[in-house]
Amino acid sequence: MGTRGTLRIYLGAAPGVGKTFAMLGEGRRRAGRGTDVVAALVETHGRARTAELLAGLEAVPLRETAHRGSPLTELDLDAVLARRPEVALVDELAHTNIPGSRNAKRWQDVEEILDAGIDVVSTLNIQHLESLNDVVERITGTAQRETVPDEVVRRADQIELVDMSPEALRRRLAHGNVHPPEMVDAALADYFRVGNLAALRELALLWVADRVDEGLARYRGRHGITEPWEARERIVVGLTGGPEGETLVRRAARIAARAGRADLLAVHVSRSDGLTEQPLAQTLARRRALVESVGGSYHQVVGDDVATALLEFMRGVNATQVVLGSSRRRGWQFVLGPGVGATVAREAGDVDVHLVTHERAGRGRGPVRLAGSPLSARRRVCGWVLALVGPLLLTAGLDSAASEPALNTDMLLFQLLTVGVALVGGLWPAVAAAVAGFLMLNWFFTPPVHTFTIGEPANALALTVFVAVAVAVSSVVDLAARRTRQAARAGAEAETLSLLATTVLRGEKALPALLERVRETFGVRSVALLERTGEGWATAGATGERPAADPAAAETTVQVAEDSVLALSGRVLPAADRRVLTAFASQAGAVLEWRRLAEEAARARRLEEGNKIRTALLAAVSHDLRTPLASIKAGVSGLRATDVEWAPEDEAELLASVEESADRLDGLIGNLLDMSRLQTGVVIPLIRPVSLEEVLPRALLNVPGRRVRLEIPETLAPVMADAGLLERALANVIENAARYGPAPVLVTASELCAGPCAGRTEVRVVDRGPGVPGQAKERMFAPFQRLGDAPKGSGVGLGLAVARGFAEAMGGTLAPEDTPGGGLTMVLALPSARTGTEDREKGEGA
């Protein structure tokens, strides 16, 4: 296999920034150096300067093909491979090929060209990257159906960002350098808004910066470079969970601000046993929130040696500065070691180390809080009973059974009893059993017996060792019991948190489902999410019996946000359960925030739709409504002119023109009024059985009779509809079909008696016009949409939108289909009155 070609991509922050121009410039530079360069496919989009730059470069002929009756051109992959140039220029990497092509996507064609050893220079916009597709849609409101996998772009040998400020790009657009003049205003008001362009620009810069970081990391790893390179300031702050954490975070944030757009990373090193006390976990959660509020990121790593783990983290993120707090150790404690700060400062190399003093420096770490017993009260009681009664019973048994003293055997039996007490009741009952065993062995089985005097030093040592071993074994057994319980609890918490995380990943954002999960997890009677209002508390969501309406009425509460609380009723939860409960509260807060954002997004969409409709309405008023008015005025002015003598046939023609323009104006205004009714939701249909013979004549008043052919069965049952709305819907659909089809429009109707659509009547309006491409079928139902070849003055593009709105208001549907042999068929489906009558008759008979 030969050497694979290299791929260079010009990545654009937005359409129109000059990617194709840059690609052609690179091609001309290489051709000027004697390189064999061909233009495999270049999209000029009608831009004169781009076409001028393309002139003089050899172009590979494009492959011509027909799709749905229309001639189209596509990249000729076989011709490029046969020509075998050194460099091929291939525009628009994300393009989707015509159905029937060898590859579905153009980037797959480029992969074949590269495999053939040909270098490729291509272009791509940031919005076409697969990983950013949903982000771009949320920003711009436009879904990108043509995407390229990120991995394909990341494999490129060179990626060059083509950027331009939003203001400069909008000036290019206004000057007509990107889109035709008639599209400029709509583009500036929609996709090319300043906010959209700024967000797309930031996405492009961040994506390219991340790729630069990846390349730098690979280079450092390949060359074994461990010392930091100060390509970008990265400040690491070490957190212990102590009271100095807030001081360190704020100091590190100030350092990052002075360094300018520096990265701030906070890290906490956990012991490898993974056991963290609850107060420490709560403190770290607050520190994490603080770090994120100042624009940093929080990280948690595991390691037995804090200093070593911290140094490894610093090297891994290529840190340039580290912020640590002064040690809280007292002076004598440094005998045990130099401390984390001193170790990091000694081993940090070129990393700057900031040791920040604080009020707890040198005052000690504070008292260690001993955890409570992990055992139940019943087991502790049984342990104490066994510790008190067991030694007495064992002593009685040994005293009655022993023929002669056997101190070693007796000590082993008392040792076994102590271990048993530790397994049942824990440490302190076992210590009591060990002390009691020591006394019993001393009194009854150590010469001289029945005294606490020990005659031989060896026996004294044996009893001392017995107590020490008994206490040590009891401690180990008790610690194992604690660790087992902690591990079981940690496993349960992990399972619960995993379930909660899975809920988030599955997109289950319904608040009732989340509250019900809280109720089931903690076994409480009810759970309520309360929000503070001006007059008290309001319930944002609740589940269970008798949920609390006020935090004071709940047994357990946890703060969700400043003005919201999660209230649990039924029992008081122990402190150990609050860590998981806090996670649920955080998710509830996220759900509330998501709900608010969704509501704001819906309002924004409504406002945007309103703005679009107002803009389109102004365009319609400025042209489509003025055109018939101009015709009416011209006709009337001509007829009133006193200096012109009109022949009877000319006068009749002028009057017919005035009447036709008036009818067209009446239809336009009627559609505008109907659309406004639909937009405001005031269409209230009066549903009753309606015969098509009743409404079709009125619907065809504005259509010449020779342009419509009716095939309506005489036995067709009426439909359940509003006569007025049905008339307007049919009139709009038929007039639209008659306008675009050269042949007469066929109107048919039939009842569906089987299948999922049984009980419905379909009215089909069939034309033999040019048809509508698949991707445009739904778009033509949007308000103020017209086909690209529709003549000016032919309407404002509301007919089909009004027709579908009226059909859905009557409980029906309006959908497009391709006409066999060419053209478009509009299918209006409505409930049949026959089915409704039969149902009523069955009900009355029952």
Side-chain angles (χ1 to χ4, degrees):
M1 184 176 179
T3 305
R4 178 180 166 91
T6 61
L7 174 61
R8 177 172 185 155
I9 295 177
Y10 285 95
L11 181 65
V17 295
K19 306 177 303 301
T20 303
F21 201 84
M23 178 187 71
L24 290 173
E26 176 65 17
R28 295 185 73 88
R29 283 192 295 273
R30 295 196 186 191
R33 295 194 297 265
T35 305
D36 182 15
V37 180
V38 300
L41 188 144
V42 176
E43 299 283 0
T44 63
H45 298 292
R47 299 165 189 165
R49 295 188 61 194
T50 305
E52 292 173 4
L53 203 59
L54 178 59
L57 287 174
E58 178 186 348
V60 176
L62 300 178
R63 178 171 57 88
E64 295 186 358
T65 184
H67 180 60
R68 295 182 177 175
S70 301
L72 298 173
T73 57
E74 193 61 87
L75 171 68
D76 194 336
L77 179 58
D78 293 327
V80 175
L81 296 177
R83 170 65 176 76
R84 198 169 183 82
E86 293 181 64
V87 179
L89 308 181
V90 182
D91 208 0
E92 296 187 357
L93 191 64
H95 172 77
T96 300
N97 291 333
I98 300 171
S101 301
R102 183 193 304 179
N103 297 310
K105 296 286 188 177
R106 186 167 292 167
W107 64 263
Q108 295 170 322
D109 294 338
V110 168
E111 288 292 313
E112 288 198 34
I113 296 173
L114 293 171
D115 289 339
I118 302 171
D119 296 344
V120 174
V121 182
S122 188
T123 64
L124 181 71
N125 281 329
I126 191 67
Q127 67 262 29
H128 294 299
L129 284 171
E130 183 69 46
S131 64
L132 301 178
N133 184 259
D134 56 340
V135 179
V136 173
E137 182 176 358
R138 286 197 297 271
I139 292 171
T140 65
T142 303
Q144 301 293 334
R145 294 180 175 85
E146 294 185 328
T147 59
V148 178
D150 287 47
E151 184 57 32
V152 173
V153 184
R154 290 182 185 278
R155 286 201 304 266
D157 300 274
Q158 299 179 62
I159 297 178
E160 184 170 333
L161 180 64
V162 183
D163 189 20
M164 183 178 291
S165 69
E167 294 76 11
L169 181 54
R170 283 171 61 86
R171 283 196 299 272
R172 285 198 66 198
L173 197 70
H175 293 159
N177 296 331
V178 179
H179 289 317
E182 62 272 15
M183 299 176 59
V184 169
D185 290 339
L188 288 173
D190 186 19
Y191 193 91
F192 288 85
R193 295 195 299 268
V194 173
N196 288 0
L197 297 177
L200 291 174
R201 189 185 192 197
E202 184 172 4
L203 279 178
L205 290 170
L206 290 173
W207 195 90
V208 173
D210 287 342
R211 190 179 183 279
V212 171
D213 281 347
E214 293 172 5
L216 181 62
R218 286 195 300 269
Y219 180 85
R220 285 163 54 85
R222 203 162 46 239
H223 292 79
I225 301 171
T226 58
E227 65 271 12
W229 283 3
E230 299 181 7
R232 182 195 297 179
E233 288 289 337
R234 286 188 175 90
I235 295 128
V236 172
V237 53
L239 299 179
T240 64
E244 74 280 3
E246 291 188 8
T247 302
L248 300 183
V249 170
R250 291 192 171 93
R251 176 63 64 84
R254 291 196 294 272
I255 295 173
R258 287 196 296 269
R261 297 189 67 86
D263 293 340
L264 175 61
L265 302 90
V267 58
H268 170 69
V269 180
S270 300
R271 297 291 183 180
S272 58
D273 57 11
L275 299 172
T276 303
E277 291 185 359
Q278 179 69 10
L280 179 57
Q282 293 174 350
T283 301
L284 291 175
R286 292 193 295 271
R287 299 292 181 270
R288 178 174 192 156
L290 176 61
V291 170
E292 293 173 350
S293 69
V294 297
S297 59
Y298 179 85
H299 305 266
Q300 191 154 332
V301 296
V302 177
D304 291 323
D305 185 85
V306 175
T308 302
L310 186 57
L311 287 166
E312 290 177 354
F313 178 82
M314 290 161 48
R315 297 186 183 107
V317 300
N318 195 26
T320 58
Q321 302 183 56
V322 62
V323 178
L324 302 173
S326 298
S327 178
R328 282 179 284 149
R329 289 183 175 188
R330 299 188 186 276
W332 61 270
Q333 291 178 313
F334 283 97
V335 177
L336 304 175
V340 173
T343 303
V344 170
R346 184 179 65 248
E347 303 291 339
D350 293 334
V351 179
D352 297 335
V353 179
H354 304 266
L355 286 178
V356 180
T357 187
H358 50 88
E359 61 181 10
R360 293 293 305 175
R363 297 188 180 183
R365 294 182 175 272
V368 178
R369 188 178 67 88
L370 296 177
S373 174
L375 304 177
S376 64
R378 181 178 179 181
R379 287 187 59 179
R380 292 199 301 272
V381 170
C382 292
W384 280 109
V385 171
L386 186 60
L388 297 176
V389 177
L392 296 177
L393 295 178
L394 181 59
T395 300
L398 292 175
D399 187 55
S400 61
S403 56
E404 60 183 34
L407 185 60
N408 293 337
T409 303
D410 296 341
M411 281 194 297
L412 289 176
L413 292 174
F414 274 96
Q415 187 80 51
L416 179 62
L417 174 63
T418 304
V419 172
V421 172
L423 290 173
V424 174
L427 175 62
W428 295 111
V431 172
V435 173
F438 171 80
L439 296 176
M440 293 297 178
L441 286 170
N442 189 1
W443 181 268
F444 288 101
F445 305 109
T446 303
V449 296
H450 304 303
T451 66
F452 288 111
T453 302
I454 301 176
E456 298 181 11
N459 290 339
L461 178 61
L463 290 175
T464 302
V465 171
F466 159 74
V467 174
V469 171
V471 172
V473 170
S474 301
S475 300
V476 171
V477 171
D478 180 73
L479 182 62
R482 290 176 183 274
R483 292 294 185 258
T484 300
R485 177 155 179 160
Q486 289 172 347
R489 180 172 186 85
E493 290 181 355
E495 183 178 356
T496 303
L497 294 174
S498 174
L499 182 61
L500 182 61
T502 305
T503 302
V504 176
L505 293 175
R506 286 202 307 264
E508 293 180 14
K509 297 187 181 294
L511 188 59
L514 180 64
L515 298 181
E516 180 63 22
R517 182 158 287 138
V518 175
R519 192 185 67 81
E520 293 174 353
T521 300
F522 297 102
V524 294
R525 185 185 72 242
S526 63
V527 180
L529 182 59
L530 305 177
E531 288 187 294
R532 190 188 302 275
T533 63
E535 301 176 354
W537 293 90
T539 302
T543 185
E545 300 178 359
R546 305 188 304 279
D550 188 281
E555 278 77 12
T556 303
T557 60
V558 61
Q559 198 77 19
V560 175
E562 292 183 2
D563 56 351
S564 56
V565 170
L566 199 62
L568 286 70
S569 303
R571 69 185 182 94
V572 178
L573 295 186
D577 286 338
R578 287 185 174 268
R579 177 166 53 183
V580 178
L581 182 58
T582 301
F584 276 103
S586 300
Q587 178 61 10
V591 172
L592 277 181
E593 185 64 23
W594 175 86
R595 179 189 288 181
R596 293 191 187 98
L597 291 175
E599 292 173 353
E600 291 178 4
R603 286 195 295 269
R605 282 194 297 270
R606 288 194 295 270
L607 290 174
E608 184 177 3
E609 289 298 324
N611 288 334
K612 287 183 180 178
I613 290 176
R614 282 191 289 272
T615 302
L617 181 58
L618 288 174
V621 171
S622 66
H623 188 280
D624 297 288
L625 295 182
R626 291 177 63 184
T627 300
L629 281 174
S631 299
I632 294 172
K633 181 174 177 57
V636 173
S637 298
L639 290 172
R640 293 187 62 192
T642 58
D643 56 343
V644 180
E645 291 290 337
W646 297 101
E649 59 272 15
D650 293 334
E651 185 175 342
E653 185 178 351
L654 281 174
L655 289 173
S657 175
V658 170
E659 183 179 17
E660 181 184 354
S661 297
D663 290 339
R664 190 166 64 192
L665 182 60
D666 180 66
L668 294 176
I669 294 175
N671 277 334
L672 287 171
L673 292 175
D674 290 339
M675 197 67 227
S676 68
R677 292 167 62 199
L678 288 170
Q679 291 288 336
T680 54
V682 297
V683 176
I684 303 175
L686 178 60
I687 304 298
R688 64 177 180 85
V690 177
S691 173
L692 289 179
E693 288 81 357
E694 174 187 344
V695 297
L696 273 174
R698 297 196 299 270
L700 299 176
L701 287 177
N702 294 326
V703 182
R706 66 181 184 278
R707 298 288 295 133
V708 179
R709 184 160 56 92
L710 300 178
E711 292 185 4
I712 308 298
E714 295 181 358
T715 58
L716 187 70
V719 295
M720 299 300 295
D722 182 298
L725 299 185
L726 180 58
E727 175 193 335
R728 294 296 303 148
L730 286 172
N732 284 334
V733 173
I734 295 172
E735 290 173 11
N736 186 77
R739 183 181 301 119
Y740 290 103
V745 175
L746 174 63
V747 180
T748 66
S750 61
E751 289 186 71
L752 302 179
C753 301
C757 296
R760 298 177 78 80
T761 296
E762 285 188 350
V763 181
R764 292 177 171 267
V765 180
V766 183
D767 69 57
R768 293 292 180 178
V772 178
Q775 63 270 23
K777 281 188 173 66
E778 284 302 314
R779 194 168 66 245
M780 68 183 179
F781 288 101
F784 304 103
Q785 295 292 322
R786 296 186 298 191
L787 292 178
D789 58 353
K792 293 294 185 180
S794 62
V796 293
L798 283 177
L800 292 180
V802 169
R804 172 172 277 189
F806 282 173
E808 293 176 349
M810 295 183 291
T813 60
L814 180 63
E817 294 181 359
D818 291 325
T819 302
L824 184 70
T825 298
M826 301 298 295
V827 183
L828 174 62
L830 292 168
S832 174
R834 190 192 305 276
T835 302
T837 303
E838 292 174 354
D839 291 343
R840 286 194 298 271
E841 290 176 353
K842 290 178 182 179
E844 292 170 0

